Structure formats: C-alpha cells, structure tokens
Amino acid sequence: MRRTVVRRLPVALVTVAVGVAAGVALQDSRPAAAVGAATGYATQNGGTTGGAGGQTVRASTGTAIHAALCGRASSSTPLTIEVTGTINHGNTSKVSGSSCNTADGVIELKQISNVTIIGVGSGAIFDQVGIHIRDSRNIIVQNVTVRNVKKSGSPTSNGGDAIGMESTVRNVWVDHVTLEASGGESEGFDGLFDMKDDTQYVTLSYSILRNSGRGGLIGSSESDLSNGFVTFHHNLYQNIDSRTPLLRGGVAHIYNNSYVGLHESGINSRAGARAKVENNHFRDSKDVLGTFYTDQRGYWQVSGNIFDSVTWSTPGSENYPAGPNPTSTTTVSIPYAYRLDGASCVPTVVGQTAGANTGLRVSDGSCAPTTTPPPTTPPPTTAPPTTPPPSGSNLSLGAGADGSSKASGTSYGNVRDGDIATYWSPAGSTGTISIKWGSATRVSRVIIREPSGTQGSIGAWQLVNHDTGAVLAAGTGAGAIMFAATTLSKISFRITSSGGTPRVGEFETYAS
C-alpha cells in the first residue's frame, strides 16, 4: 500500500529545508495566520483565510481571547489568536468593546469576521467551554481540543455544542481539532459540531469526534433548510450514537472519513439533503447511511466506500437505510479540486493525521492499496509466475494462527505449515484467518496461496492490522500483497466474498 503523509508544522516553527524520513515529507511552513490552506467548500464563496495578514496575539485564558477580539480597530480587522493552556469557566468572562460581542462561559465569535484561533505550544484545551460562531464570516479554528460542553447540569456552555454555528455564518474552516464528550443527552451533552439558521461554506477536516450521543447536524429542524455546502474529510468519528452528521437540506461532501462504533445511525440525509459520500471506511457500526427518524427523505451519491462489519436495520416507517448494498439516489457536482485516498487506506491515514496536537499532518491523497492481480492460468505449487520471490524468511513458519471459523477437516495451522496441499477454509463462504506472534513483528508483504486446483475461490478481501483494526490493503483473489511496513503482533486476512468455498493453503508473511 502506498501512503504519503505531509507534515505541517505549528506556526511557531520554521523548517529551513525539505526532508524525507520514514515516509513523511516535511513542508516548509513559515509563520502564517493558520497552517496550510482551507479545503473543501470553505474555499468557495470568496475563500476562507481567517486572520491572515493581521496581528498575532497570544492568549492563555478565555477572557484574554475575548480581550483580543475587543481590542481590534474594528470587528473585521484581521486577527490571529494563538491559544495555550486550558480555557475554562473560571477564566472565561465577558469583555466589552465596539469590535466584539462576548459573553461569560463561552468563546463568543459573534458579529465578527477575519479571525483565526489556533492552538500552539503544548496544546490548547477548551474544558467545558464551547466555541460559538454567530453572525460571522471568514473564521478558522485549528489545533484545539474542546471537551465535555454541557447544555444541562453544571456548568453549561454554548447550548451543549462543542462548536456551534448559527444565524448567517459564512466561510468557516475547522481543522485538526478534537471534539469529545463523556456521554449523550441524558448526561447533559448535545452535538459536537452543529450548523443551523443559514450557515454555509464550511469545512471540517482532519478532526476527531468521539464519545458522544450526537456527532453534529446541519439544520435544527425539518424547516431549517437554509444551511449547506459543507465538506467533511479525513475525520474520525468514534463511539457516537448518531448524527455523523444529520443533514437537513443542503449539500454535503463527505469523503475519506473513518467511522468506528456508530451505535444507532450515521450519515442521516433528510428533508431533501444531498450528500456525496465517497471513499469512506465504516467499521463495527449500524445503519451508517440513509434517512432515519423521519419520512422526509434525503439523497446520496455513493462510491468507493468500505462497509466492514456494518449491520443494517429493516426498512420501515421513518426508517430508510441505504444498505446492505448502498446505491446512489442522486448526483452531486463538486466545484473544487480534491484528491481521494483509497478507502482501505483511510483508517491508517486518519489515525496518523486527525485531531489536535498531531503535528498538523495531512495526506496528499495518493494512498492506494497495491496488490498483484491473480494469475489467469492455474499456478504451480510454488509461487505464481507473476509474484516476485520475497526476500527474507517466511515469518509465518513457527508463528501461531487462528480465525473466525473453520470448515470440517481443515485447520488454522495449515496456512503456516509450508505445505500448499493442506489448507484452511471458513465454515461458510466468508471468514477470517490470522497469523500471530508472541511479540511485535515487522511485516510489509504477504502472499496468499490457494491449493492446486482451487484457484479463483477467493473473492474480495481485506488485510487487517488486528492490533489496531486498520485495513492495510484490500483487493480480490490470491497472490502477493504489498503495503507500508507495519509492526504488529497479529495480521488478519479477511475474505468478504467468494465464488464458493474459499481455501487458503499458505498465508506467508515477510518483512520485505
């Protein structure tokens, strides 16, 4: 698998040369209002530049953030606020001035424009204090953590939203943030990323949203249809009940996101909303796409997504899941340029780039699994002609093996005994076989061999880092599989479709 990740350095640092190490390129990142440039729909409608070209100030309290806003010459004077430390209720008070409109207990970006808030140093945490963007435009929020914002209980902030936008908001880029709660509505929390009442041209990128009942929404009700043109890319949604996001009207572009543990529903397109959903990776989740909890249907265009251990409910009144075999119900034209990582790469790429304090790393969109196509003629009992000989020893010999199931008369250990004539088969038409070691082992190449006379029984598959759940590669048929060198203790070959009863004679692993 080919993966290229570009590292963007915090604004306080300057690299004087471009180097390459361990597959990571270092870009020259000179001081700017924000690191990198906006992506997605935030690039439209005149673009999103935040406080570029203006003064830069440092703040370690919420009150200092408000004071910086209020100290500008006007409400549109460009300003970058570098935030350090923990912002909480005890240090977030209202500040008055002609260029601001602030309040206690919430970071209030109200009736302003041209502002960047960026975490620097050892990190910026907004603890139980939300960020409220209202009647504003051209705002960037980058490299911060917002956690445990409540709408009920004590203390409360921002209606329970970690980041909330409402009332004629235009051009917002939220990038490399971590938004998290410690429960759902019954525990006092609401949405992590909400947009309503005429909010448009927004991008959420390289961020983590987790441990919440609600991921976020576009539109507060079925009649609030003035929102839209929102891009979600390279984000991790983890341990969320629903709303990843909830769309009411408008257009959304949702690509290269990783979804893990969506308990009730995921992308909920309603009330005429149209979503382009491409090259995302969904795992261990339920009803990840469709129209739910209403009879006002929405629409979607789907391509390149991976649905791994996803369950789908039965269609019924106010419940219209897109699966188990999602197909497009609309088309969405995207007005900006972008590059797609392969869906099988997404868990790894997002795991290395998303969230605050991750070095502002991004992908260049070149990640794609690389596999050797299966031969068109039956191979001999040695390596297929199209498979170059591996270097080094077969690490599977002497390792352990297990799997999801095994057919009668077969054994897990047969895939690591060096004998192509013995094999493992799942109990059904799909299943998983794994090689495991007692300690961390570096692997960059796998060869899957079928017993003579059974070639073509393996259909679609995924090669998975069992330690993390990341998909290392995906493809069809047996043969050689190349991917970025990975250190792990267990690697799994997951067969997701077959032309009968699949058989794996040897599951070979190599360091190079």
Side-chain angles (χ1 to χ4, degrees):
M1 179 177 68
R2 180 167 174 256
R3 179 176 71 252
T4 302
V5 176
V6 178
R7 182 176 179 230
R8 299 188 303 204
L9 298 177
V11 294
L13 303 179
V14 181
T15 61
V16 296
V18 176
V20 178
V24 176
L26 299 182
Q27 269 191 341
D28 185 8
S29 298
R30 304 193 183 281
V35 179
T39 56
Y41 274 115
T43 65
Q44 305 298 289
N45 190 45
T48 304
T49 56
Q55 181 184 10
T56 298
V57 301
R58 184 68 63 96
S60 58
T61 68
T63 304
I65 294 174
H66 286 161
L69 295 171
C70 296
R72 295 187 294 167
S74 73
S75 61
S76 62
T77 302
L79 174 69
T80 293
I81 305 174
E82 297 180 343
V83 183
T84 63
T86 299
I87 310 302
N88 56 37
H89 280 263
N91 63 33
T92 302
S93 300
K94 174 183 174 68
V95 175
S96 298
S98 59
S99 61
C100 64
N101 189 344
T102 68
D104 293 334
V106 60
I107 300 303
E108 193 80 300
L109 307 181
K110 184 177 181 181
Q111 297 168 342
I112 64 171
S113 60
N114 309 326
V115 170
T116 294
I117 293 180
I118 180 169
V120 296
S122 59
I125 298 174
F126 293 74
D127 185 26
Q128 297 185 291
V129 171
I131 298 175
H132 186 198
I133 303 171
R134 183 174 182 177
D135 293 313
S136 296
R137 66 184 304 123
N138 194 23
I139 305 294
I140 295 175
V141 179
Q142 192 174 49
N143 200 39
V144 303
T145 295
V146 187
R147 67 188 187 194
N148 293 330
V149 180
K150 287 192 170 185
K151 68 175 182 179
S152 61
S154 179
T156 62
S157 178
N158 196 30
D161 297 336
I163 295 180
M165 290 160 269
E166 63 181 301
S167 187
T168 317
V169 172
R170 295 289 185 275
N171 291 87
V172 176
W173 179 34
V174 178
D175 177 66
H176 282 92
V177 303
T178 297
L179 309 178
E180 56 191 3
S182 297
E185 189 174 19
S186 61
E187 288 79 29
F189 305 101
D190 197 10
L192 295 177
F193 193 71
D194 281 10
M195 292 157 277
K196 53 192 176 183
D197 190 18
D198 195 22
T199 294
Q200 298 181 6
Y201 301 104
V202 175
T203 295
L204 176 67
S205 57
Y206 294 99
S207 294
I208 296 174
L209 297 86
R210 64 188 174 200
N211 303 334
S212 176
R214 297 169 173 175
L217 58 77
I218 301 174
S220 60
S221 69
E222 309 294 71
S223 61
D224 182 14
L225 306 179
S226 57
N227 312 279
F229 305 115
V230 182
T231 301
F232 302 84
H233 74 89
H234 292 93
N235 303 299
L236 170 63
Y237 287 83
Q238 185 175 36
N239 190 28
I240 304 279
D241 287 342
S242 62
R243 301 187 181 184
T244 65
L246 165 61
L247 312 170
R248 292 181 169 113
V251 173
H253 187 199
I254 303 171
Y255 72 93
N256 281 161
N257 300 287
S258 177
Y259 301 85
V260 183
L262 308 185
H263 305 302
E264 297 174 7
S265 62
I267 301 169
N268 186 353
S269 182
R270 300 162 55 162
R274 297 186 302 125
K276 187 165 188 173
V277 182
E278 54 183 340
N279 287 38
N280 300 283
H281 192 281
F282 303 88
R283 179 167 63 89
D284 297 333
S285 297
K286 175 185 178 183
D287 283 343
V288 298
L289 174 64
T291 296
F292 306 102
Y293 323 121
T294 182
D295 59 3
Q296 297 190 40
R297 303 284 290 271
Y299 309 96
W300 43 84
Q301 179 181 351
V302 292
S303 63
N305 302 289
I306 290 178
F307 302 93
D308 177 11
S309 299
V310 170
T311 60
W312 302 91
S313 61
T314 302
S317 177
E318 300 189 347
N319 189 61
Y320 309 95
N325 297 302
T327 58
S328 298
T329 59
T330 189
T331 58
V332 179
S333 177
I334 301 301
Y336 49 82
Y338 63 101
R339 296 185 65 182
L340 286 169
D341 285 310
S344 63
C345 303
V346 164
T348 298
V349 170
V350 169
Q352 293 179 350
T353 57
N357 301 318
T358 56
L360 296 171
R361 292 153 55 107
V362 302
S363 170
D364 70 354
S366 66
C367 181
T370 302
T371 63
T372 301
T376 56
T377 58
T381 57
T382 57
T386 56
T387 303
S391 59
S393 60
N394 176 9
L395 302 173
S396 299
L397 300 176
D402 60 23
S404 60
S405 66
K406 58 182 178 179
S408 176
T410 73
S411 170
Y412 302 127
N414 288 343
V415 304
R416 54 166 179 77
D417 61 1
D419 184 355
I420 192 69
T422 63
Y423 60 88
W424 162 87
S425 284
S429 60
T430 61
T432 299
I433 182 70
S434 303
I435 297 295
K436 56 185 180 181
W437 298 272
S439 60
T441 301
R442 185 176 184 271
V443 182
S444 67
R445 181 179 183 139
V446 160
I447 297 178
I448 300 296
R449 304 187 191 276
E450 297 172 289
S452 179
T454 66
Q455 287 76 31
S457 65
I458 297 174
W461 52 261
Q462 295 175 348
L463 190 67
V464 178
N465 178 343
H466 187 87
D467 300 355
T468 65
V471 176
L472 303 173
T476 59
I481 307 169
M482 303 286 291
F483 51 95
T486 304
T487 300
L488 39 70
S489 60
K490 185 174 179 179
I491 188 168
S492 299
F493 184 69
R494 181 182 297 158
I495 301 172
T496 59
S497 71
S498 65
T501 302
R503 297 179 179 182
V504 176
E506 288 295 299
F507 183 167
E508 301 176 7
T509 53
Y510 298 90
S512 60

